[in-house]
Amino acid sequence: MRLLYLTALCLAITGCGDDRDPGTSNADPFGAVPLTQEVHDPSLTGKVNLVRDKFGIVHIYAGSSDDAAFAQGFITAHDRLAQMDVLRRFGSGTLAESFGGLDASVIDTDIRMRVHRMRPLAEESYALLQASSDPADRALVRTLQRFSDGVNAFVQEYVTTDRWSIDAAVTATFDPKTFVPWSPVDSLVLGRFQALSLSFTVEFELAMSELYQKVGQTFDAAGAGQPAEILARRGIGADLLRVASVGRAPTIDGFPNVTTDTGTRSDAGRGGRARAPARSATAATSRRPVLPPELYDQVRTMFPSNHRTGAFGAFGPETLMSPRAGSNNWAVAPSHAGGKTLLATDQHLQLSNPSLFYPIHLIIEADTEALGVTFPGIPGILLGTNGNVAWSGTVAYHDVNDVYQETVAPCGNTDCVTFRGNQVPIETWSETIKVGVLGNILSERTVTFERVPHHGPILPTVRDGAIVPRTGATALSVRFTGYQPSFEIRAFWDLMRAKDVDQAFASLRSFHHGGQNWTMIDNSGNIGWTSNVEIPLRAPNATTWNGRTNPTGNAPWFVLPGDGSAEWEGRMSSRYVPHAINPPSGYLATANSDPTGQTFDNDALNQPLVDGRPLYAGVGYAPGLRLERISSELDALLARGSVTLTDLAKLQHDASSTMGAKIVPVLSAALAYASNSAGAPADVVSYLATLSVGQRVRLVEAGTLLTTWSFATPAAVAPESTAAEITNSAATTVFNTWMHFFIAATFDDELTRAGFDRATLDDARLARMVYAVLVEPAGAIQSATTQQPILCDRLGVAGPDDSCTKMQLMAMVSALDHLASSEGYGSADPNTWRWGAKHRLAIASVLPNPALTLPGAAEGLGSGFPRDGDTFVINRADAGWQDLDFAQSSDGAAQRFLVEAEPGQKMKVKWQLPGGTVFDSRSAHYRDLLDNYYLKQVHFDVPFELPEIVSAGEERWTFQ
């Protein structure tokens, strides 16, 4: 590593200029790389060479997995120790030990995290691994321990010698001298922590339940004496809760092995034949539970609704507990790529300084080799390539948790819940929360949690550093596939050693929760995809809801009855869990959306039956806009000819407005009435008559701007921006501003009347709602006068019903007024409405120190880096529509990784990462990858072969 701030040790090391390895008689292949550090440890069994290349990426060459793990732990601690500590504290619920004395809200964060018992479950998992007689498990245990040894060796050297230095900007809010020694359990905690944050969708289910219940109670239950406008809205709950995707390009057409049994399995590649599913069964019916309205307010303290970066930094609880879909990956078969096999992937996660991923390359003699990323603190490689196989992941968003309404009553000296006619005592456990500053403990408190034995923890009300005692006869419990010991790290151990796609599939047998879309290729020309994860099979009574024919039925995305009538009854067979190998299309693509099209008809519960249960996988998917765009672009590339890695790189950076392409044709048609109202709805004609000439002219200009919009979304703040970029930038600004005002004008009246806060809804729900009323209005409850969705009518406004056409025009007037105001751009000239002036990205530090935020205060970039793209573009840059801030959310591409494979050859890799490898502002590798490649949207060629590593090597360390 290029440590400009360290003492150069090379001259002091005897024989440092020798190009031979003292342990062998052969020339040292790394001898041409300057030797800058030697680390000695008696536990090492051989010499380890560590080369840091000009990109800051570390390449470790070792004779054994144990020695490689030690070196990986040591260098990861050197580069990212503070981040490692913050991440394990988040997962373990011990963050208050470092920051609770500075920010009391961190105590609440710890309490929320302790609900999930990630550390106790990691301890159980590690104990089971230690007890295993399987040689691979025993090797994995040694790797976890040796990684920990390496971390602790670095910390011990830092504390006891003056050899190492840590950036003062880091130590301002992190004290390495109070660092608790790293353990294998810490590494497992990090794995569980990320799996939870990418699969736990309870907040979504609570929001859907609350919205549907409150809207139903307000409008569906309205009596005959209610105003006509209330009665006219009966049934709108189903319109607001549409599950249909906006984009409808599935990864595969339906669940696998249903109509045609290929014998494949999601966790074991190609295999034996499978039994076809049963197709007839009668589901029981029961009414959906009705919760006390105040219960929603109480449990929402577990899920802060602000999805932007929190006060603490990049990893506030609002980003951790509310996964937001945004990742892409796709693979192209050799038949479409000139004989090469291609893989593209970009995981859109929290953007932080340092970046969430840590890149590394491990070469272990006679064992394995792997290059890719891991989370700092987990040994090995999580996503990457071993030269023969490359694998990537995006969040699958299968439904792997359910919320149950428990009926609570006293029984003896405790409380019980009713389950299958019996009274089952509620269990409790206590946790001690220590509060301190930078690891120096000032106080501690004990909190007591509750658990329903057959379901899981009861969601507590967390407030002011304590759990508010539960009252009342109702509580909500959560069942989650992640609430049991599991061995996901074993899957990564096996993936690093897989020789082909079939072996990669088999490796994922150990992956039980934190569902991912695993897309993979090998250098034999195979492509594959699996979303392998444990998907519960629900009892028939859990899947009876239909928005029109059975609106009071149960659905897994609502709160379910806890009486035993809607339980899990096993897991979906891996034959049916969505997956594919070498499909006829010649490519596979995923983007967090519905992979099988189960929701496309707006009914996720009418799927083929297996033992009387529909093949339900989920509804909380992304709205499908990115996958539809990816599939469309890939189809065009395939039709043109052979696809190249350059084509895939360009597609990764695609920033075409997918939502704009869906909505603008309808919006442009409405705006056309401003210049010619012939054929317009009556209320539109009346409304236009109230506008001034200037307002109508501006509507016409907005219509022209949107009609000519190419859907490109350039920031266009640079002086050299072209006329086309400025026009497209203005159109992007107008469209997204209009979306905000249209959502508010159309839906807020009903939501407010129902007592529901729109801020609880995410952009995926808002996109579905807008698309439903404007593009697919036929299925919605209609106004008797406008023959358009009643949701567009303004509740409480006298006169005829408002049409959606009129509301589009009214929202545009509001948008244009805002843009011209001082709160907007202070000008009515569209040429000044540069998207990048508002749409900017600030990358917050994992530590609460503003000096570590990117861009830095001295860069003159105001609130962040200007960014192309809007919400749901392939190159994710979500601006959101809840407010008019339009800053990019704290999420984005945590890496962009491209792989090219040819038969019999080692794979080639191109990369982008949003930061640098070293969390030290004095280092040349602090943010070089961000500045030189990520922001410029340029991939660099990764040194993978030994000569490339030596050629690109900046410095070498040895461990011996």
Side-chain angles (χ1 to χ4, degrees):
M1 161 183 150
R2 180 173 237 161
L3 300 174
L4 300 180
Y5 52 91
L6 292 180
T7 302
L9 298 179
C10 184
L11 295 178
I13 300 172
T14 301
C16 71
D18 191 357
D19 64 353
R20 295 181 178 273
D21 185 335
T24 72
S25 60
N26 299 318
D28 184 350
F30 299 102
V33 182
L35 179 63
T36 58
Q37 295 288 346
E38 282 190 337
V39 176
H40 296 271
D41 192 280
S43 66
L44 292 164
T45 61
K47 180 178 178 180
V48 179
N49 275 291
L50 181 154
V51 175
R52 192 183 296 273
D53 66 27
K54 62 184 180 181
F55 305 108
I57 296 170
V58 166
H59 307 260
I60 295 175
Y61 188 93
S64 70
S65 296
D66 292 355
D67 287 353
F70 180 93
Q72 185 181 4
F74 194 99
I75 193 64
T76 307
H78 175 278
D79 291 354
R80 303 284 189 93
L81 184 66
Q83 182 185 28
M84 293 170 63
D85 193 48
V86 166
L87 288 175
R88 70 164 168 178
R89 288 188 179 281
F90 257 120
S92 299
T94 60
L95 198 63
E97 295 179 13
S98 289
F99 303 108
L102 302 173
D103 181 354
S105 69
V106 177
I107 304 171
D108 288 355
T109 298
D110 277 359
I111 296 173
R112 294 185 187 103
M113 299 308 291
R114 297 284 184 102
V115 170
H116 306 292
R117 299 184 67 250
M118 280 185 281
R119 189 163 197 89
L121 287 168
E123 291 170 342
E124 290 183 50
S125 300
Y126 186 59
L128 291 170
L129 278 175
Q130 287 179 301
S132 173
S133 60
D134 186 307
D137 285 346
R138 300 182 73 83
L140 182 53
V141 167
R142 290 198 308 272
T143 293
L144 287 164
Q145 183 59 58
R146 293 298 289 149
F147 179 88
S148 300
D149 293 343
V151 173
N152 296 328
F154 170 79
V155 176
Q156 180 65 18
E157 275 208 11
Y158 170 81
V159 172
T160 59
T161 74
D162 60 358
R163 182 178 182 182
W164 308 104
S165 170
I166 296 180
D167 186 358
V170 173
T171 57
T173 50
F174 168 70
D175 184 359
K177 294 182 179 179
T178 63
F179 183 87
V180 178
W182 195 267
S183 75
V185 171
D186 290 321
S187 296
L188 297 182
V189 166
L190 293 191
R192 302 193 72 88
F193 173 40
Q194 290 300 329
L196 175 87
S197 67
L198 298 175
S199 63
F200 192 73
T201 57
V202 166
E203 182 187 9
F204 165 79
E205 295 180 4
L206 290 173
M208 294 301 94
S209 296
E210 181 186 10
L211 174 60
Y212 194 67
Q213 175 175 309
K214 288 183 174 180
V215 168
Q217 290 173 336
T218 302
F219 299 106
D220 295 0
Q226 291 290 325
E229 63 177 358
I230 299 294
L231 300 177
R233 285 166 168 76
R234 287 178 173 172
I236 62 169
D239 298 342
L240 294 170
L241 265 72
R242 280 174 58 93
V243 300
S245 298
V246 178
R248 292 172 194 165
T251 302
I252 58 174
D253 188 13
F255 287 90
N257 296 317
V258 176
T259 56
T260 301
D261 183 2
T262 66
T264 61
R265 300 171 61 89
S266 70
D267 58 0
R270 286 162 273 206
R273 306 294 289 176
R275 177 179 58 82
R279 291 185 175 276
S280 63
T282 302
T285 59
S286 69
R287 294 180 65 85
R288 189 179 59 262
V290 178
L291 275 67
E294 64 273 11
L295 192 57
Y296 289 113
D297 295 328
Q298 294 167 8
V299 301
R300 190 172 291 114
T301 63
M302 269 287 291
F303 310 101
S305 60
N306 173 22
H307 291 287
R308 295 192 184 276
T309 302
F312 174 76
F315 288 89
E318 65 276 7
T319 62
L320 293 173
M321 302 306 298
S322 306
R324 305 182 72 201
S327 305
N328 314 297
N329 58 23
W330 58 89
V332 180
S335 58
H336 294 305
K340 300 176 181 179
T341 312
L342 308 179
L343 175 68
T345 183
D346 48 283
Q347 288 71 39
H348 290 214
L349 302 168
Q350 300 98 335
L351 290 181
S352 64
N353 183 28
S355 57
L356 182 61
F357 285 138
Y358 183 69
I360 199 162
H361 181 197
L362 303 173
I363 310 103
I364 304 167
E365 286 186 84
D367 184 273
T368 191
E369 176 180 12
L371 179 148
V373 294
T374 185
F375 294 119
I378 300 179
I381 301 295
L382 302 186
L383 304 171
T385 175
N386 59 25
N388 297 312
V389 177
W391 64 96
S392 63
T394 67
V395 179
Y397 281 103
H398 295 326
D399 189 349
V400 295
N401 46 227
D402 282 335
V403 183
Y404 293 95
Q405 176 181 284
E406 307 288 355
T407 301
V408 183
C411 59
N413 296 323
T414 186
D415 283 346
C416 288
V417 298
T418 301
F419 185 71
R420 293 176 175 164
N422 299 313
Q423 294 297 102
V424 179
I426 294 174
E427 299 173 346
T428 62
W429 84 94
S430 296
E431 300 270 357
T432 299
I433 307 292
K434 296 180 179 180
V435 182
V437 176
L438 306 187
N440 299 297
I441 306 305
L442 304 176
S443 64
E444 60 182 46
R445 63 192 67 188
T446 300
V447 292
T448 300
F449 299 89
E450 296 180 303
R451 176 173 52 225
V452 176
H454 45 276
H455 287 153
I458 289 177
L459 291 174
T461 300
V462 181
R463 186 174 295 122
D464 299 329
I467 292 178
V468 178
R470 176 183 49 77
T471 59
T474 301
L476 296 180
S477 67
V478 176
R479 190 171 185 183
F480 173 48
T481 58
Y483 287 158
Q484 56 190 348
S486 58
F487 309 99
E488 282 71 25
I489 196 166
R490 183 193 291 156
F492 298 114
W493 176 269
D494 292 338
L495 276 170
M496 289 171 58
R497 292 157 177 81
K499 302 300 184 185
D500 55 33
V501 162
D502 282 347
Q503 289 187 20
F505 264 61
S507 299
L508 294 168
R509 288 175 175 172
S510 300
F511 209 89
H512 295 293
H513 80 287
Q516 296 283 297
N517 288 302
W518 299 101
T519 303
M520 56 195 75
I521 64 173
D522 62 33
N523 56 7
S524 297
N526 297 301
I527 65 173
W529 155 74
T530 175
S531 57
N532 179 63
V533 73
E534 185 174 313
I535 300 176
L537 285 177
R538 275 84 172 178
N541 188 46
T543 58
T544 60
W545 179 79
N546 182 286
R548 297 292 183 235
T549 62
N550 189 22
T552 61
N554 291 314
W557 57 90
F558 293 140
V559 174
L560 293 169
D563 58 8
S565 64
E567 297 301 301
W568 293 359
E569 298 180 347
R571 60 175 291 182
M572 184 184 294
S573 167
S574 64
R575 299 182 183 98
Y576 309 122
V577 174
H579 67 278
I581 298 176
N582 295 331
S585 65
Y587 72 85
L588 287 163
T590 80
N592 313 113
S593 51
D594 181 350
T596 62
Q598 60 174 312
T599 64
F600 290 0
D601 64 351
N602 201 37
D603 188 348
L605 302 177
N606 62 349
Q607 302 304 301
L609 302 178
V610 175
D611 298 329
R613 303 167 188 84
L615 286 173
Y616 164 77
V619 298
Y621 302 110
L625 290 158
R626 284 179 290 109
L627 182 55
E628 186 177 72
R629 173 73 177 174
I630 292 167
S631 299
S632 174
E633 291 298 292
L634 286 175
D635 287 338
L637 288 170
L638 268 54
R640 186 199 67 191
S642 183
V643 181
T644 68
L645 214 58
T646 300
D647 295 325
L648 300 193
K650 182 179 179 181
L651 186 53
Q652 280 190 328
H653 296 122
D654 186 272
S656 180
S657 179
T658 54
M659 193 63 181
K662 294 287 186 182
I663 302 301
V664 162
V666 178
L667 175 56
S668 296
L671 291 171
Y673 289 129
S675 58
N676 183 358
S677 61
D683 66 331
V684 169
V685 175
S686 300
Y687 173 67
L688 289 172
T690 67
L691 300 180
S692 68
V693 172
Q695 287 175 313
R696 293 186 65 159
V697 167
R698 287 192 290 275
L699 286 176
V700 172
E701 291 174 344
T704 301
L705 187 67
L706 292 174
T707 301
T708 58
W709 185 23
S710 71
F711 303 117
T713 57
V717 293
E720 64 271 18
S721 298
T722 66
E725 288 173 336
I726 293 171
T727 299
N728 281 320
S729 186
T732 306
T733 302
V734 169
F735 171 71
N736 285 282
T737 306
W738 172 85
M739 278 286 288
H740 167 78
F741 283 104
F742 182 76
I743 289 167
T746 303
F747 305 115
D748 277 4
D749 49 354
E750 286 87 3
L751 297 179
T752 300
R753 181 68 65 93
F756 184 85
D757 182 4
R758 171 163 55 87
T760 305
L761 302 178
D762 62 14
D763 294 330
R765 173 59 36 200
L766 298 176
R768 285 176 167 90
M769 290 160 57
V770 173
Y771 184 80
V773 298
L774 293 184
V775 183
E776 292 186 345
I781 302 299
Q782 305 289 311
S783 162
T785 57
T786 68
Q787 305 303 310
Q788 294 186 20
I790 192 65
L791 279 168
C792 289
D793 176 50
R794 290 173 296 169
L795 190 63
V797 176
D801 289 352
D802 301 302
S803 67
C804 295
T805 311
K806 174 185 174 182
M807 297 309 294
Q808 292 177 74
L809 295 173
M810 290 184 65
M812 184 58 75
V813 169
S814 298
L816 297 174
D817 287 345
H818 169 78
L819 292 173
S821 73
S822 59
E823 294 182 354
Y825 289 80
S827 171
D829 180 4
N831 287 321
T832 67
W833 300 344
R834 309 294 177 89
W835 181 234
K838 302 288 185 181
H839 186 49
R840 304 173 81 90
L841 169 65
I843 300 177
S845 166
V846 298
L847 297 174
N849 183 357
L852 294 168
T853 295
L854 303 177
E859 290 185 65
L861 289 173
S863 57
F865 301 107
R867 299 290 287 161
D868 298 349
D870 62 3
T871 306
F872 302 121
V873 301
I874 293 175
N875 185 3
R876 179 177 176 180
D878 290 8
W881 302 303
Q882 292 281 14
D883 54 38
L884 291 162
D885 178 85
F886 293 141
Q888 181 175 335
S889 72
S890 59
D891 298 344
Q895 71 159 344
R896 296 190 185 95
F897 196 73
L898 296 171
V899 186
E900 179 181 275
E902 294 186 71
Q905 296 186 29
K906 194 173 186 177
M907 294 177 170
K908 296 180 176 64
V909 176
K910 292 178 178 289
W911 222 342
Q912 285 178 28
L913 291 158
T917 58
V918 184
F919 190 39
D920 189 320
S921 61
R922 302 166 300 173
S923 170
H925 298 301
Y926 174 59
R927 51 178 285 182
D928 53 331
L929 299 181
L930 173 73
D931 295 331
N932 299 333
Y933 302 99
Y934 189 88
L935 292 176
K936 294 178 180 179
Q937 300 193 152
V938 176
H939 292 77
F940 62 88
D941 294 312
V942 182
F944 201 2
E945 299 280 10
L946 186 57
E948 297 170 340
I949 297 169
V950 172
S951 176
E954 281 188 348
E955 67 159 343
R956 175 167 57 112
W957 295 14
T958 60
F959 294 77
Q960 54 192 354

